[in-house]
Amino acid sequence: MVRTSCVSFSIARHAAWAPGLTTPEAWLTWAQTPFIIEKGSEPSIKKMPSMLRRRAGHLGKMALEVAYQCLNEQTDVPTVFCSRHGDVARAIDLLTELVQGNALSPTSFSMAVHNASVGLFSIARKDSTNHIALAGGRSTVEHGVIEACALLADGAPMVLLVACDFPLPSAFTTFQDCNEQPYAWSWLMVPPYVDTLSLSWTACASEEAAAANTVPAGLSILRFQLGREKQFERVANHRRWQWTRND
């Protein structure tokens, strides 16, 4: 168990995917000059059997693509999938069907749960290693990192962290507190040894006002990881989150 207000780790390998941003070079260009990522194409996930691949929605396909890219054929690696909203569009479709008195699709229902994508990943790879899915509001990525570091502290030699999100359906537009965009990225996290990233946190009485045009937290954190800045700070969920790079 992690009993601390700071965790540190290194990234052995990483990957990212979004419509129009499918190569490391494209992501580095985006990190230097960010722009709004629009909805568009889906990844192919060629390494996943087609029967399972067809079950995943757009969000799940992005998450699975970067998970495969980061792990390749490596197995027995604990995995943490984190998404603030998950595949909420599928949940809306199911609720609409219920209101209309229609029978629910078992496939749609099974893929609407928050751990659906990580479940597909486990089944496709025949990998029974620890797999976790979580959501933590505006600090979802930070909680994912803490969970991954707890697994490292518990003896795992490496942990795969996958972060992903997608624009919200129109039913939730009025509740949106940032400019949601489609993206997925993954880090193969290992105990700190070189090019270390640290995450520390303290209680914060006030909550930073969220503006609807701000960049999603997951993309802000990815930009920090890809860039050269030494520090990056956010306030969310009554915590002050301090990211630090130690080269």
Side-chain angles (χ1 to χ4, degrees):
M1 180 179 293
V2 176
R3 296 183 181 277
T4 180
S5 59
C6 179
V7 293
S8 297
F9 59 95
S10 293
I11 300 174
R13 196 157 55 240
H14 62 91
W17 197 98
L21 293 168
T22 60
T23 65
E25 294 77 16
W27 279 105
L28 286 174
T29 299
W30 169 87
Q32 294 168 2
T33 310
F35 54 85
I36 296 175
I37 304 171
E38 302 289 350
K39 291 186 288 186
S41 60
E42 297 180 347
S44 58
I45 330 176
K46 295 179 180 178
K47 295 182 179 180
M48 173 171 274
S50 58
M51 183 179 296
L52 294 174
R53 183 170 62 237
R54 285 194 295 267
R55 298 179 64 182
H58 199 152
L59 176 69
K61 288 178 179 177
M62 292 192 301
L64 291 165
E65 178 69 21
V66 298
Y68 271 105
Q69 285 185 25
C70 213
L71 277 190
N72 295 319
E73 303 303 321
Q74 199 163 2
T75 57
D76 298 324
V77 178
T79 302
V80 179
F81 271 50
C82 59
S83 175
R84 180 181 180 184
H85 303 297
D87 199 349
V88 67
R90 203 183 288 256
I92 289 291
D93 291 341
L94 289 170
L95 291 172
T96 302
E97 292 295 323
L98 282 175
V99 169
Q100 295 174 351
N102 299 327
L104 299 182
S105 161
T107 299
S108 293
F109 180 80
S110 66
M111 293 306 298
V113 296
H114 207 66
N115 65 344
S117 296
V118 72
L120 283 181
F121 191 59
S122 173
I123 294 168
R125 289 160 48 86
K126 298 180 175 61
D127 189 347
S128 59
T129 310
N130 189 18
H131 291 76
I132 301 167
L134 60 83
R138 294 178 59 218
S139 53
T140 289
V141 174
E142 283 88 355
H143 287 292
V145 167
I146 294 169
E147 183 70 31
C149 287
L151 291 168
L152 291 174
D154 202 35
M158 58 187 65
V159 178
L160 178 68
L161 175 70
V162 177
C164 60
D165 257 309
F166 199 76
L168 291 167
S170 57
F172 290 103
T173 300
T174 56
F175 303 102
Q176 185 167 279
D177 59 12
C178 68
N179 190 353
E180 300 285 2
Q181 299 166 50
Y183 71 88
W185 53 260
S186 59
W187 293 345
L188 186 59
M189 297 169 55
V190 296
Y193 68 98
V194 67
D195 296 332
T196 302
L197 291 183
S198 296
L199 171 65
S200 59
W201 57 94
T202 56
C204 185
S206 61
E207 180 73 356
E208 187 176 70
N213 63 346
T214 56
V215 176
L219 285 176
S220 296
I221 293 165
L222 176 63
R223 187 187 179 198
F224 169 72
Q225 182 249 323
L226 294 174
R228 297 180 178 277
E229 292 83 2
K230 294 294 186 181
Q231 291 187 331
F232 171 60
E233 184 178 284
R234 311 191 319 111
V235 174
N237 297 115
H238 298 289
R239 293 290 185 276
R240 187 174 302 279
W241 304 97
Q242 181 75 50
W243 293 82
T244 307
R245 187 192 313 276
N246 303 301
D247 297 328

